[in-house]
PDB file of all heavy atoms in Angstrom:
ATOM      1  N   GLY T 192      40.601  31.182  17.634  1.00 70.00           N
ATOM      2  CA  GLY T 192      42.017  31.492  17.472  1.00 70.00           C
ATOM      3  C   GLY T 192      42.247  32.590  16.450  1.00 70.00           C
ATOM      4  O   GLY T 192      43.083  33.481  16.663  1.00 70.00           O
ATOM      5  N   PHE T 193      41.493  32.563  15.359  1.00 65.00           N
ATOM      6  CA  PHE T 193      41.636  33.588  14.323  1.00 65.00           C
ATOM      7  C   PHE T 193      41.234  34.963  14.854  1.00 65.00           C
ATOM      8  O   PHE T 193      41.921  35.964  14.617  1.00 65.00           O
ATOM      9  CB  PHE T 193      40.783  33.217  13.111  1.00 65.00           C
ATOM     10  CG  PHE T 193      40.834  34.230  12.004  1.00 65.00           C
ATOM     11  CD1 PHE T 193      41.899  34.258  11.123  1.00 65.00           C
ATOM     12  CD2 PHE T 193      39.815  35.176  11.860  1.00 65.00           C
ATOM     13  CE1 PHE T 193      41.950  35.207  10.099  1.00 65.00           C
ATOM     14  CE2 PHE T 193      39.864  36.113  10.851  1.00 65.00           C
ATOM     15  CZ  PHE T 193      40.936  36.134   9.969  1.00 65.00           C
ATOM     16  N   VAL T 194      40.116  35.018  15.578  1.00 68.00           N
ATOM     17  CA  VAL T 194      39.639  36.299  16.119  1.00 68.00           C
ATOM     18  C   VAL T 194      40.632  36.872  17.119  1.00 68.00           C
ATOM     19  O   VAL T 194      40.968  38.067  17.092  1.00 68.00           O
ATOM     20  CB  VAL T 194      38.250  36.119  16.772  1.00 68.00           C
ATOM     21  CG1 VAL T 194      37.841  37.392  17.517  1.00 68.00           C
ATOM     22  CG2 VAL T 194      37.207  35.766  15.717  1.00 68.00           C
ATOM     23  N   LEU T 195      41.148  36.012  18.032  1.00 72.00           N
ATOM     24  CA  LEU T 195      42.110  36.488  19.032  1.00 72.00           C
ATOM     25  C   LEU T 195      43.394  36.976  18.367  1.00 72.00           C
ATOM     26  O   LEU T 195      43.949  38.017  18.757  1.00 72.00           O
ATOM     27  CB  LEU T 195      42.427  35.363  20.022  1.00 72.00           C
ATOM     28  CG  LEU T 195      41.302  34.981  20.993  1.00 72.00           C
ATOM     29  CD1 LEU T 195      41.719  33.790  21.848  1.00 72.00           C
ATOM     30  CD2 LEU T 195      40.945  36.161  21.901  1.00 72.00           C
ATOM     31  N   ALA T 196      43.867  36.228  17.361  1.00 69.00           N
ATOM     32  CA  ALA T 196      45.086  36.648  16.660  1.00 69.00           C
ATOM     33  C   ALA T 196      44.875  37.982  15.948  1.00 69.00           C
ATOM     34  O   ALA T 196      45.761  38.850  15.958  1.00 69.00           O
ATOM     35  CB  ALA T 196      45.492  35.570  15.653  1.00 69.00           C
ATOM     36  N   PHE T 197      43.710  38.171  15.339  1.00 63.00           N
ATOM     37  CA  PHE T 197      43.401  39.422  14.632  1.00 63.00           C
ATOM     38  C   PHE T 197      43.404  40.599  15.610  1.00 63.00           C
ATOM     39  O   PHE T 197      43.958  41.668  15.318  1.00 63.00           O
ATOM     40  CB  PHE T 197      42.042  39.306  13.947  1.00 63.00           C
ATOM     41  CG  PHE T 197      41.657  40.519  13.162  1.00 63.00           C
ATOM     42  CD1 PHE T 197      42.159  40.733  11.883  1.00 63.00           C
ATOM     43  CD2 PHE T 197      40.802  41.463  13.711  1.00 63.00           C
ATOM     44  CE1 PHE T 197      41.815  41.866  11.160  1.00 63.00           C
ATOM     45  CE2 PHE T 197      40.445  42.601  12.998  1.00 63.00           C
ATOM     46  CZ  PHE T 197      40.962  42.800  11.719  1.00 63.00           C
ATOM     47  N   ILE T 198      42.810  40.404  16.796  1.00 75.00           N
ATOM     48  CA  ILE T 198      42.745  41.482  17.794  1.00 75.00           C
ATOM     49  C   ILE T 198      44.139  41.828  18.310  1.00 75.00           C
ATOM     50  O   ILE T 198      44.518  43.000  18.428  1.00 75.00           O
ATOM     51  CB  ILE T 198      41.830  41.078  18.964  1.00 75.00           C
ATOM     52  CG1 ILE T 198      40.384  40.947  18.464  1.00 75.00           C
ATOM     53  CG2 ILE T 198      41.924  42.087  20.096  1.00 75.00           C
ATOM     54  CD1 ILE T 198      39.425  40.408  19.507  1.00 75.00           C
ATOM     55  N   ILE T 199      44.951  40.802  18.623  1.00 77.00           N
ATOM     56  CA  ILE T 199      46.287  41.035  19.185  1.00 77.00           C
ATOM     57  C   ILE T 199      47.194  41.715  18.166  1.00 77.00           C
ATOM     58  O   ILE T 199      47.881  42.696  18.479  1.00 77.00           O
ATOM     59  CB  ILE T 199      46.908  39.699  19.651  1.00 77.00           C
ATOM     60  CG1 ILE T 199      46.114  39.146  20.838  1.00 77.00           C
ATOM     61  CG2 ILE T 199      48.367  39.887  20.034  1.00 77.00           C
ATOM     62  CD1 ILE T 199      46.518  37.750  21.255  1.00 77.00           C
ATOM     63  N   VAL T 200      47.201  41.215  16.945  1.00 68.00           N
ATOM     64  CA  VAL T 200      48.055  41.799  15.904  1.00 68.00           C
ATOM     65  C   VAL T 200      47.606  43.221  15.581  1.00 68.00           C
ATOM     66  O   VAL T 200      48.428  44.126  15.384  1.00 68.00           O
ATOM     67  CB  VAL T 200      48.029  40.929  14.631  1.00 68.00           C
ATOM     68  CG1 VAL T 200      48.757  41.633  13.478  1.00 68.00           C
ATOM     69  CG2 VAL T 200      48.672  39.578  14.910  1.00 68.00           C
ATOM     70  N   GLY T 201      46.283  43.439  15.572  1.00 67.00           N
ATOM     71  CA  GLY T 201      45.782  44.786  15.309  1.00 67.00           C
ATOM     72  C   GLY T 201      46.202  45.759  16.389  1.00 67.00           C
ATOM     73  O   GLY T 201      46.573  46.907  16.106  1.00 67.00           O
ATOM     74  N   SER T 202      46.170  45.299  17.649  1.00 71.00           N
ATOM     75  CA  SER T 202      46.589  46.158  18.759  1.00 71.00           C
ATOM     76  C   SER T 202      48.069  46.497  18.661  1.00 71.00           C
ATOM     77  O   SER T 202      48.476  47.643  18.882  1.00 71.00           O
ATOM     78  CB  SER T 202      46.280  45.457  20.083  1.00 71.00           C
ATOM     79  OG  SER T 202      46.760  46.207  21.173  1.00 71.00           O
ATOM     80  N   MET T 203      48.898  45.511  18.333  1.00 70.00           N
ATOM     81  CA  MET T 203      50.338  45.759  18.195  1.00 70.00           C
ATOM     82  C   MET T 203      50.630  46.709  17.034  1.00 70.00           C
ATOM     83  O   MET T 203      51.524  47.563  17.115  1.00 70.00           O
ATOM     84  CB  MET T 203      51.056  44.416  17.987  1.00 70.00           C
ATOM     85  CG  MET T 203      50.962  43.469  19.181  1.00 70.00           C
ATOM     86  SD  MET T 203      51.634  41.826  18.830  1.00 70.00           S
ATOM     87  CE  MET T 203      53.344  42.235  18.517  1.00 70.00           C
ATOM     88  N   LYS T 204      49.870  46.556  15.978  1.00 68.00           N
ATOM     89  CA  LYS T 204      50.075  47.413  14.808  1.00 68.00           C
ATOM     90  C   LYS T 204      49.746  48.869  15.129  1.00 68.00           C
ATOM     91  O   LYS T 204      50.455  49.789  14.699  1.00 68.00           O
ATOM     92  CB  LYS T 204      49.205  46.911  13.666  1.00 68.00           C
ATOM     93  CG  LYS T 204      49.374  47.694  12.371  1.00 68.00           C
ATOM     94  CD  LYS T 204      48.512  47.117  11.271  1.00 68.00           C
ATOM     95  CE  LYS T 204      48.668  47.924   9.986  1.00 68.00           C
ATOM     96  NZ  LYS T 204      47.810  47.393   8.894  1.00 68.00           N
ATOM     97  N   ASN T 205      48.685  49.103  15.900  1.00 69.00           N
ATOM     98  CA  ASN T 205      48.302  50.477  16.260  1.00 69.00           C
ATOM     99  C   ASN T 205      49.369  51.158  17.099  1.00 69.00           C
ATOM    100  O   ASN T 205      49.572  52.365  17.016  1.00 69.00           O
ATOM    101  CB  ASN T 205      46.971  50.461  17.010  1.00 69.00           C
ATOM    102  CG  ASN T 205      45.816  50.094  16.105  1.00 69.00           C
ATOM    103  OD1 ASN T 205      45.859  50.333  14.892  1.00 69.00           O
ATOM    104  ND2 ASN T 205      44.767  49.510  16.677  1.00 69.00           N
ATOM    105  N   LYS T 206      50.073  50.378  17.955  1.00 65.00           N
ATOM    106  CA  LYS T 206      51.103  50.961  18.807  1.00 65.00           C
ATOM    107  C   LYS T 206      52.343  51.359  18.022  1.00 65.00           C
ATOM    108  O   LYS T 206      53.171  52.131  18.511  1.00 65.00           O
ATOM    109  CB  LYS T 206      51.502  49.958  19.894  1.00 65.00           C
ATOM    110  CG  LYS T 206      50.390  49.686  20.901  1.00 65.00           C
ATOM    111  CD  LYS T 206      50.846  48.670  21.935  1.00 65.00           C
ATOM    112  CE  LYS T 206      49.738  48.376  22.942  1.00 65.00           C
ATOM    113  NZ  LYS T 206      50.172  47.372  23.940  1.00 65.00           N
ATOM    114  N   LEU T 207      52.499  50.873  16.815  1.00 62.00           N
ATOM    115  CA  LEU T 207      53.696  51.156  16.018  1.00 62.00           C
ATOM    116  C   LEU T 207      53.492  52.264  14.984  1.00 62.00           C
ATOM    117  O   LEU T 207      54.357  52.518  14.152  1.00 62.00           O
ATOM    118  CB  LEU T 207      54.137  49.879  15.294  1.00 62.00           C
ATOM    119  CG  LEU T 207      54.589  48.722  16.188  1.00 62.00           C
ATOM    120  CD1 LEU T 207      54.871  47.498  15.333  1.00 62.00           C
ATOM    121  CD2 LEU T 207      55.844  49.117  16.966  1.00 62.00           C
ATOM    122  N   LYS T 208      52.368  52.966  15.027  1.00 61.00           N
ATOM    123  CA  LYS T 208      52.096  53.991  14.028  1.00 61.00           C
ATOM    124  C   LYS T 208      53.032  55.185  14.125  1.00 61.00           C
ATOM    125  O   LYS T 208      53.259  55.881  13.146  1.00 61.00           O
ATOM    126  CB  LYS T 208      50.649  54.471  14.159  1.00 61.00           C
ATOM    127  CG  LYS T 208      49.646  53.450  13.622  1.00 61.00           C
ATOM    128  CD  LYS T 208      48.227  53.979  13.685  1.00 61.00           C
ATOM    129  CE  LYS T 208      47.248  52.996  13.063  1.00 61.00           C
ATOM    130  NZ  LYS T 208      45.849  53.479  13.109  1.00 61.00           N
ATOM    131  N   THR T 209      53.607  55.471  15.311  1.00 59.00           N
ATOM    132  CA  THR T 209      54.493  56.635  15.479  1.00 59.00           C
ATOM    133  C   THR T 209      55.935  56.312  15.122  1.00 59.00           C
ATOM    134  O   THR T 209      56.789  57.180  15.156  1.00 59.00           O
ATOM    135  CB  THR T 209      54.435  57.122  16.941  1.00 59.00           C
ATOM    136  OG1 THR T 209      54.826  56.051  17.803  1.00 59.00           O
ATOM    137  CG2 THR T 209      53.038  57.575  17.302  1.00 59.00           C
ATOM    138  N   VAL T 210      56.225  55.105  14.812  1.00 58.00           N
ATOM    139  CA  VAL T 210      57.599  54.701  14.506  1.00 58.00           C
ATOM    140  C   VAL T 210      57.865  54.889  13.014  1.00 58.00           C
ATOM    141  O   VAL T 210      57.070  54.454  12.184  1.00 58.00           O
ATOM    142  CB  VAL T 210      57.834  53.234  14.902  1.00 58.00           C
ATOM    143  CG1 VAL T 210      59.268  52.819  14.536  1.00 58.00           C
ATOM    144  CG2 VAL T 210      57.584  53.052  16.389  1.00 58.00           C
ATOM    145  N   GLN T 211      59.012  55.567  12.703  1.00 63.00           N
ATOM    146  CA  GLN T 211      59.405  55.781  11.314  1.00 63.00           C
ATOM    147  C   GLN T 211      60.424  54.726  10.895  1.00 63.00           C
ATOM    148  O   GLN T 211      61.353  54.429  11.634  1.00 63.00           O
ATOM    149  CB  GLN T 211      60.016  57.186  11.150  1.00 63.00           C
ATOM    150  CG  GLN T 211      59.082  58.309  11.553  1.00 63.00           C
ATOM    151  CD  GLN T 211      57.841  58.375  10.681  1.00 63.00           C
ATOM    152  OE1 GLN T 211      57.921  58.110   9.473  1.00 63.00           O
ATOM    153  NE2 GLN T 211      56.709  58.724  11.264  1.00 63.00           N
ATOM    154  N   SER T 212      60.226  54.172   9.726  1.00 64.00           N
ATOM    155  CA  SER T 212      61.151  53.138   9.253  1.00 64.00           C
ATOM    156  C   SER T 212      62.475  53.763   8.850  1.00 64.00           C
ATOM    157  O   SER T 212      62.520  54.878   8.309  1.00 64.00           O
ATOM    158  CB  SER T 212      60.538  52.402   8.071  1.00 64.00           C
ATOM    159  OG  SER T 212      60.296  53.298   7.005  1.00 64.00           O
ATOM    160  N   GLN T 213      63.589  53.064   9.109  1.00 64.00           N
ATOM    161  CA  GLN T 213      64.932  53.507   8.736  1.00 64.00           C
ATOM    162  C   GLN T 213      65.691  52.328   8.148  1.00 64.00           C
ATOM    163  O   GLN T 213      65.461  51.184   8.513  1.00 64.00           O
ATOM    164  CB  GLN T 213      65.689  54.038   9.960  1.00 64.00           C
ATOM    165  CG  GLN T 213      65.043  55.288  10.564  1.00 64.00           C
ATOM    166  CD  GLN T 213      65.890  55.843  11.689  1.00 64.00           C
ATOM    167  OE1 GLN T 213      67.090  55.587  11.745  1.00 64.00           O
ATOM    168  NE2 GLN T 213      65.272  56.605  12.567  1.00 64.00           N
ATOM    169  N   GLU T 214      66.614  52.652   7.231  1.00 66.00           N
ATOM    170  CA  GLU T 214      67.380  51.599   6.581  1.00 66.00           C
ATOM    171  C   GLU T 214      68.464  51.047   7.476  1.00 66.00           C
ATOM    172  O   GLU T 214      68.869  49.894   7.345  1.00 66.00           O
ATOM    173  CB  GLU T 214      67.991  52.120   5.284  1.00 66.00           C
ATOM    174  CG  GLU T 214      66.945  52.505   4.233  1.00 66.00           C
ATOM    175  CD  GLU T 214      67.577  52.970   2.955  1.00 66.00           C
ATOM    176  OE1 GLU T 214      68.836  53.022   2.914  1.00 66.00           O
ATOM    177  OE2 GLU T 214      66.850  53.276   2.000  1.00 66.00           O
ATOM    178  N   THR T 215      68.996  51.859   8.413  1.00 65.00           N
ATOM    179  CA  THR T 215      70.063  51.402   9.317  1.00 65.00           C
ATOM    180  C   THR T 215      69.685  51.752  10.735  1.00 65.00           C
ATOM    181  O   THR T 215      68.712  52.459  10.996  1.00 65.00           O
ATOM    182  CB  THR T 215      71.403  52.075   8.973  1.00 65.00           C
ATOM    183  OG1 THR T 215      71.279  53.489   9.210  1.00 65.00           O
ATOM    184  CG2 THR T 215      71.770  51.835   7.511  1.00 65.00           C
ATOM    185  N   ALA T 216      70.512  51.262  11.678  1.00 62.00           N
ATOM    186  CA  ALA T 216      70.265  51.515  13.104  1.00 62.00           C
ATOM    187  C   ALA T 216      71.307  52.465  13.669  1.00 62.00           C
ATOM    188  O   ALA T 216      71.594  52.449  14.860  1.00 62.00           O
ATOM    189  CB  ALA T 216      70.280  50.195  13.877  1.00 62.00           C
TER     190      ALA T 216
END
Side-chain angles (χ1 to χ4, degrees):
F193 178 80
V194 172
L195 289 176
F197 182 81
I198 294 174
I199 293 172
V200 172
S202 176
M203 295 173 63
K204 182 178 179 181
N205 290 332
K206 293 179 181 179
L207 296 175
K208 286 183 176 180
T209 58
V210 178
Q211 301 297 324
S212 61
Q213 296 185 23
E214 295 182 358
T215 65

